[in-house]
Amino acid sequence: RNGHSGVDFSSKFSPWLANGSVSARQIHAALLAHERRRGASDGSRWIVFELLWREHFRWLHARFGRRLYHARGLAPQAGPPAHDAAAFARWCAGRTGEPLVDAGLRELAATGYLSNRLRQVVASALIHDAPGDWRAGAAWFEHQLVDYDVHSNHGNWLYIAGRGTDPRGGRRFNPEKQAREHDPDGSYNNADDMTWWAKRSGLIQLAGVITNGPYKHPRARSKVWQLTRAGEIAAAEPEPMELPGENVDG
């Protein structure tokens, strides 16, 4: 669950859940059958836990709809999110200067995938350190993730920003502490290994994220991205951002 890269550290069910090839109920039933045969484990119980989080975010959307897309989310007392457009561009490109954060963003750009923990770490870096509007980060993930799911993606960004249902008011992850605990040998941060792995996968999507070429993302065309690039995202509050093809009210 806390691994960074590889085959066996997570189930990799998320792309198939996102596109409807398999349901959470099917996975749960298969998991229970597996536990009857071989017994429960920490890994099998964590899968159940993450499926419950997935359901939570769906019910959250069913109840609150468009409110989740306002800058303040479900926290009316919160102020408009701060947003530094230049810092956001550096974050997208994996050039924040924080090695673990940058490695995660390069992996996301190269493969369209990122581990559970690193999604939280890079989200925290944008929201709490850049600073950047959490909706801009959610939109960037929308453009990048092969397992993009509007409910889980938006719900998790609300959670890190402290504008969802978590009473603790947001989560900030210390990237240096995260690196010490989950990448003690620095292997994930190794730029040469990241380049080799990304090229080997054949999934490099962005010129200039791993190389030094100009930064450009041809798929970034949503209203959220356009507003962010123009530095107008704060001025757009309190109107909700409209993500293309999504109708959260029904």
Side-chain angles (χ1 to χ4, degrees):
R1 181 171 179 265
N2 290 320
H4 291 329
S5 63
V7 176
D8 297 328
F9 75 92
S10 67
S11 71
K12 304 299 190 297
F13 287 144
S14 55
W16 315 111
L17 282 164
N19 68 24
S21 296
V22 67
S23 72
R25 286 187 177 186
Q26 287 175 309
I27 293 174
H28 188 231
L31 191 63
L32 292 178
H34 169 81
E35 290 182 337
R36 286 194 294 271
R37 292 192 307 270
R38 303 203 174 184
S41 66
D42 286 345
S44 65
R45 289 295 90 196
W46 274 119
I47 292 175
V48 173
F49 178 79
E50 296 297 347
L51 287 173
L52 289 172
W53 262 116
R54 181 178 181 275
E55 293 303 299
H56 167 73
F57 290 138
R58 274 150 185 74
W59 286 109
L60 197 69
H61 274 72
R63 178 173 180 182
F64 294 108
R66 291 175 64 86
R67 282 185 61 191
L68 302 178
Y69 293 80
H70 286 261
R72 292 177 172 85
L74 301 180
Q77 75 284 358
H83 187 72
D84 182 325
F88 177 65
R90 290 192 297 272
W91 178 86
C92 291
R95 294 173 181 161
T96 69
E98 191 62 60
L100 182 63
V101 173
D102 291 347
L105 290 163
R106 290 195 301 270
E107 179 188 356
L108 175 64
T111 69
Y113 188 81
L114 199 58
S115 70
N116 175 69
R117 178 162 293 275
L118 276 171
R119 293 185 198 206
Q120 296 181 81
V121 171
V122 302
S124 169
L126 176 65
I127 294 167
H128 301 296
D129 299 333
D133 191 312
W134 63 274
R135 297 170 298 168
W140 183 248
F141 271 28
E142 175 185 355
H143 285 293
Q144 295 294 325
L145 289 170
V146 296
D147 61 358
Y148 172 71
D149 175 289
V150 63
H151 308 98
S152 297
N153 183 64
H154 216 73
N156 274 303
W157 277 91
L158 282 163
Y159 173 76
I160 298 295
R163 294 163 192 257
T165 55
D166 188 347
R168 286 172 284 191
R171 300 298 178 88
R172 184 186 183 278
F173 288 76
N174 182 325
E176 294 181 358
K177 180 175 183 290
Q178 294 295 314
R180 287 196 302 271
E181 293 181 352
H182 303 293
D183 187 36
D185 61 357
S187 59
Y188 184 78
N189 291 344
N190 189 311
D192 292 334
D193 287 350
M194 283 292 294
T195 304
W196 172 88
W197 171 52
K199 288 180 177 177
R200 175 96 174 212
S201 74
L203 292 173
I204 292 181
Q205 302 282 335
L206 300 182
V209 174
I210 293 175
T211 65
N212 292 321
Y215 174 75
K216 183 179 181 182
H217 192 276
R219 290 181 293 159
R221 296 291 184 267
S222 74
K223 179 181 177 184
V224 179
W225 177 252
Q226 292 164 10
L227 285 169
T228 302
R229 292 292 291 170
E232 298 171 355
I233 200 162
E237 199 279 331
E239 291 300 316
M241 291 295 184
E242 296 177 4
L243 302 186
E246 299 292 350
N247 180 358
V248 297
D249 286 334

